[in-house]
Amino acid sequence: MSIRLLGTICVDTAIAGILVAGGIMTMQAMNSATAAAVSSAAASAATPDDARRFIEAAEARLLDLNVKASRAEWVHETFITDDTEILSAEADEILKAATSDLAAQSRRFDDVKLPDDVARKFTLLKHAVDIPAPKTPAEQTELSQILASLQSDYGKGKWCPEGENILASSRNPDELRRAWLGWHAVGSPMRKRYERLVILANEGAREMGFADVGAMWRSGYDMSPEAFAAELDRLWQQVRPLYVSLHAYTRTQLAKKYGHAVVSESGPIPADLLGNMWAQQWDNIYPLVAPPNADPGYDLTEILKSKKTDARAMVRYGERFFMSLGFPALPPTFWERSLFTKPADRDVVCHASAWDVDYVDDLRIKMCIEIKAEDFSTIHHELGHNFYQRAYNTQPFFFRDSANDGFHEAIGDTIALSVTPEYLKQIGFIENVPPASADLGLLMRKALEKVAFLPFGLLIDKWRWGAFSGKVAPADYNKAWWELRRQYQGIEAPVARSEADFDPGAKYHVASNTPYARYFLAAILQFQFHRAICRQAGYAGPLHRCSIYNNKEVGARLNKMLAMGKSRPWPEELEALTGEKQMDATAILDYFAPLKKWLDEQNKASGAKIDW
Ligand SMILES: [Zn+2]
């Protein structure tokens, strides 16, 4: 349903979380229009017309509440005070209560044969709640308190953001371990409450007709829960050879830096050495693994500074990229209402996010832009959300969303993949495109960000699926977590862990109960999109050098998919853009092919063991 791009301190620094509105189930009176539609349906056997009236009333009600909640949240995040926090929490609670209540009410139409579009809306309403509460009021209250307390524990965790900064920049193993342990202590007190949360939320999921919460999450993808799980495994098997090659080379370089007493020759890599608290993206250790003689010969940050580009001008570059594809300019209100720089006089949430406040064209970004290369790329990413949001703004409310939750994140990143040296030359930033030898450096940097992330993106929900289904018993929560970390990422905890710890809770999306498979999908899809549109553009060179800048035909095709919103099953929408009905990780392999070749050569030359 609605898209809220969540900004939270100590969330992923590179990945904005998407939160789907909805959450806990509490009973609250509906507004009279909706209640009337429901009671008329209840009076006798419900008909398809009753169902349509109910779902349309629900859409109108939820649109109104979502807009109100968005406005309150915008004011809160751009002007943090006790009052704005209370106002936004209140608006959010009203929205969640109404969403949950409507989802519960909608079950009376479960046996009515409905037209496709109406049936789809009912499915989306049921999936609007990530953690469904059981019917019993006492249990609802208990679950709601657990959810709030877990999130609050995470927010209050010490070592944040200092711990993150140390993990990013320190090369002292003792200091790294101390910061890693310091932060991971945040999880331990959450364990008992998480265990209880699993029981209560599963009860809610069963009342909604799902086997458990994990099955409910997996069934939000236009296929059976089993088929979705198999899809993720299939995609992972496609990309695994690229990951293990990067892993082996990285392990060799880390061993050179820290010695074999710290980094084993053939085993998993200690989790605190990869430049990130969760070892989920490794770009901070680029200097330790940089291919020699692969400097691109320019520094985008320096170029932006020398051109005296300010924050607003940087956003204009992003807008012009989309306009070069044929998208209309952003509305004047975007420029009036967005927050581009950190205000001097008040606290704001600086984590970059994109907004669609009225679900039509009140588009905004909120970002404390600094004049640097990373932010230049992030701007393209955030604007991807805005142009997507506007493209689907004439769909019914329930369809104003991306095809599946991976698509929304992927679109912005797809455009960012077109910010190539060739593009920088076209906009007058550099005079010459660097030689092919420099590509290895650019590819390595990107692989540390995108390829290193893949197994992490997969295992978070693998662990939760196990916890929710009972396959992982509470007594084994931490053991199962580290088995997955080892199996998929090839990493291990820097010191022995036990069931006194609860390391999953030290990850924001677990503590906040935000589904995670979407980030894995986005990481795969952006390359599939990129390859497809580059082919459509008639581009035949190496994929990492392709930019679709200025290509209006490609833009029109992209817009066609974006405008479909969530109105059709995602394989149909994927086909509309790419001609392919299946997700396909061979595009990411194509993109990194030159790096893979180089990594394999290095691993062979050093005699590095592959795998762990
Ligand atoms: Zn995003």
Side-chain angles (χ1 to χ4, degrees):
M1 197 193 325
S2 75
I3 297 301
R4 195 83 73 74
L5 295 137
L6 182 92
T8 309
I9 298 156
C10 285
V11 192
D12 304 319
T13 47
I15 298 172
I18 284 189
L19 270 197
V20 176
I24 51 166
M25 273 207 173
T26 55
M27 290 311 211
Q28 194 164 20
M30 287 176 289
N31 81 342
S32 52
T34 319
V38 172
S39 63
S40 81
S44 55
T47 67
D49 276 348
D50 296 331
R52 188 182 285 277
R53 271 195 297 277
F54 169 86
I55 205 72
E56 283 172 2
E59 278 187 296
R61 169 97 173 120
L62 291 178
L63 171 59
D64 178 55
L65 292 178
N66 268 286
V67 173
K68 286 181 172 132
S70 288
R71 290 197 201 289
E73 184 60 16
W74 175 270
V75 175
H76 171 227
E77 290 195 20
T78 58
F79 194 168
I80 302 172
T81 70
D82 292 338
D83 294 319
T84 59
E85 187 179 329
I86 290 167
L87 293 172
S88 82
E90 281 175 358
D92 194 50
E93 210 175 306
I94 291 169
L95 167 63
K96 279 180 177 165
T99 307
S100 303
D101 195 22
L102 288 165
Q105 295 295 327
S106 74
R107 295 219 59 195
R108 72 180 67 235
F109 301 100
D110 277 0
D111 298 328
V112 183
K113 180 94 184 81
L114 299 170
D116 283 355
D117 63 321
V118 179
R120 189 167 178 78
K121 288 179 181 178
F122 273 91
T123 304
L124 292 173
L125 176 57
K126 272 182 198 153
H127 280 279
V129 178
D130 286 333
I131 298 292
K135 284 197 186 104
T136 324
E139 289 183 335
Q140 285 170 18
T141 308
E142 187 188 356
L143 180 58
S144 140
Q145 282 166 353
I146 290 174
L147 292 171
S149 73
L150 290 177
Q151 202 156 348
S152 151
D153 276 15
Y154 188 97
K156 286 184 210 141
K158 289 192 174 59
W159 288 90
C160 171
E162 304 96 282
E164 274 191 87
N165 291 338
I166 291 169
L167 262 290
S169 57
S170 172
R171 303 289 179 252
N172 174 334
D174 295 330
E175 191 179 31
L176 286 167
R177 180 172 305 185
R178 222 171 20 249
W180 191 96
L181 284 169
W183 172 250
H184 279 76
V186 76
S188 174
M190 299 179 188
R191 171 185 278 267
K192 279 284 154 212
R193 277 168 290 158
Y194 197 87
E195 200 178 321
R196 185 76 184 134
L197 177 155
V198 167
I199 293 168
L200 295 171
N202 274 342
E203 215 178 297
R206 282 184 204 114
E207 285 169 13
M208 300 265 289
F210 300 100
D212 60 71
V213 173
M216 176 182 146
W217 288 3
R218 291 193 300 281
S219 61
Y221 293 90
D222 301 306
M223 53 173 70
S224 74
E226 299 75 26
F228 180 66
E231 264 303 89
L232 295 192
D233 287 337
R234 182 182 64 81
L235 293 166
W236 170 241
Q237 286 309 320
Q238 282 186 305
V239 294
R240 193 174 186 281
L242 173 59
Y243 178 77
V244 294
S245 193
L246 178 67
H247 177 279
Y249 178 71
T250 303
R251 182 176 52 196
T252 304
Q253 295 306 104
L254 288 173
K256 275 185 199 160
K257 170 78 185 169
Y258 295 110
H260 282 305
V262 179
V263 182
S264 91
E265 243 168 300
S266 57
I269 301 172
D272 55 344
L273 302 184
L274 290 157
N276 176 280
M277 189 61 85
W278 304 273
Q280 66 180 71
Q281 282 168 316
W282 306 346
D283 34 324
N284 286 322
I285 59 158
Y286 177 77
L288 300 181
V289 297
N293 311 313
D295 189 279
Y298 67 88
D299 180 340
L300 182 54
T301 300
E302 289 310 312
I303 294 167
L304 290 165
K305 285 183 176 156
S306 72
K307 286 186 169 295
K308 307 224 178 321
T309 317
D310 64 11
R312 201 166 271 265
M314 277 171 63
V315 181
R316 284 282 183 199
Y317 278 109
E319 182 195 34
R320 278 199 293 271
F321 194 115
F322 284 89
M323 290 169 69
S324 85
L325 301 177
F327 290 89
L330 289 162
T333 50
F334 172 88
W335 300 100
E336 290 156 13
R337 297 172 187 175
S338 286
L339 184 131
F340 297 130
T341 49
K342 190 173 179 6
D345 60 344
R346 61 183 197 269
D347 286 331
V348 302
V349 177
C350 269
H351 190 80
S353 54
W355 299 61
D356 179 14
V357 174
D358 67 353
Y359 293 83
V360 183
D361 64 357
D362 191 349
L363 308 166
R364 309 176 193 180
I365 63 170
K366 177 188 63 58
M367 188 173 167
C368 301
I369 296 172
E370 292 175 42
I371 312 307
K372 59 180 185 183
E374 186 191 340
D375 285 17
F376 192 72
S377 175
T378 304
I379 286 166
H380 289 75
H381 172 92
E382 297 302 337
L383 291 183
H385 290 304
N386 284 150
F387 281 92
Y388 205 156
Q389 288 159 339
R390 188 171 56 182
Y392 56 57
N393 71 3
T394 57
Q395 291 286 349
F397 177 64
F398 279 136
F399 299 156
R400 286 181 214 172
D401 197 349
S402 54
N404 72 35
D405 54 10
F407 280 53
H408 228 298
E409 286 299 327
I411 291 302
D413 282 8
T414 302
I415 298 304
L417 289 177
S418 274
V419 178
T420 57
E422 179 59 41
Y423 165 69
L424 296 177
K425 187 182 166 209
Q426 278 178 273
I427 61 171
F429 273 24
I430 55 177
E431 275 176 26
N432 301 304
V433 173
S437 59
D439 288 9
L440 276 181
L442 295 168
L443 282 169
M444 176 62 95
R445 219 178 252 286
K446 241 188 190 95
L448 294 172
E449 185 194 332
K450 311 262 186 188
V451 178
F453 175 75
L454 292 164
F456 185 82
L458 183 62
L459 72 84
I460 299 285
D461 280 356
K462 287 233 174 216
W463 181 83
R464 278 194 291 209
W465 296 347
F468 282 123
S469 73
K471 217 180 106 205
V472 174
D476 294 326
Y477 274 170
N478 220 45
K479 183 168 150 267
W481 172 257
W482 283 104
E483 279 170 5
L484 288 166
R485 298 271 266 168
R486 185 186 175 107
Q487 181 190 346
Y488 287 96
Q489 285 185 286
I491 65 163
E492 64 184 0
V495 300
R497 304 300 274 170
S498 76
E499 294 304 326
D501 306 304
F502 184 61
D503 294 323
K507 174 65 190 165
Y508 174 78
H509 298 74
V510 175
S512 74
N513 288 287
T514 310
Y516 210 75
R518 62 187 62 160
Y519 299 110
F520 176 78
L521 297 182
I524 301 285
L525 283 167
Q526 60 190 264
F527 290 94
Q528 191 173 0
F529 294 160
H530 180 69
R531 182 173 67 181
I533 57 187
C534 286
R535 280 176 181 165
Q536 285 157 24
Y539 179 83
L543 208 45
H544 61 278
R545 284 192 165 230
C546 164
S547 177
I548 56 157
Y549 181 61
N550 253 336
N551 193 316
K552 300 223 165 24
E553 278 162 51
V554 161
R557 189 145 175 175
L558 179 60
N559 185 58
K560 199 178 140 205
M561 180 183 81
L562 301 187
M564 291 166 86
K566 208 182 183 66
S567 64
R568 302 298 306 160
W570 66 260
E572 260 180 57
E573 303 206 11
L574 180 64
E575 192 182 20
L577 178 65
T578 66
E580 299 152 5
K581 276 191 163 156
Q582 260 203 327
M583 289 186 277
D584 184 0
T586 62
I588 192 168
L589 300 182
D590 284 356
Y591 187 96
F592 288 105
L595 180 71
K596 172 75 162 57
K597 181 169 171 283
W598 184 83
L599 287 169
D600 288 346
E601 284 162 10
Q602 305 308 307
N603 289 333
K604 201 169 168 216
S606 69
K609 183 179 179 284
I610 306 295
D611 232 303
W612 46 85

